[in-house]
Amino acid sequence: MSQVFSEETHRNMLARIPHCTGREVSDWLRTVDEGPALFRFEEKVSWLRAEHNLAYGHAKAIIHEYDLRRAARKLL
């Protein structure tokens, strides 16, 4: 079962990603964009974890942010 993070927790997770992974969030978002065309949220999280050895929480925060930004682009 997936965890549900508050907006504050999500922002805190994003802020820690560069320190924990050595890569900026924008770099991770580009990696997801250039990755395989997966549809389900958990598939994307699993791919990111397996391919890049990320912790579940970090992978989930990256995919959640990716989906938020993609949805915002569709609104423009």
Side-chain angles (χ1 to χ4, degrees):
M1 177 179 254
S2 65
Q3 302 167 339
V4 177
F5 297 134
S6 69
E7 182 63 25
E8 180 181 2
T9 301
H10 175 66
R11 293 287 157 216
N12 288 337
M13 290 284 286
L14 287 179
R16 288 193 306 265
I17 286 173
H19 174 73
C20 295
T21 67
R23 294 173 62 183
E24 294 296 322
V25 172
S26 59
D27 189 28
W28 284 114
L29 297 175
R30 197 169 28 262
T31 297
V32 173
D33 197 42
E34 295 168 354
L38 302 170
F39 294 103
R40 293 181 55 234
F41 183 86
E42 287 298 328
E43 288 176 325
K44 294 175 195 176
V45 171
S46 294
W47 170 78
L48 203 53
R49 291 183 71 205
E51 191 70 23
H52 298 282
N53 199 32
L54 290 177
Y56 177 76
H58 292 144
K60 183 177 176 185
I62 290 165
I63 297 301
H64 182 64
E65 186 67 18
Y66 177 81
D67 287 347
L68 287 174
R69 291 184 186 196
R70 189 179 66 195
R73 284 192 308 257
K74 286 183 180 180
L75 292 176
L76 296 176

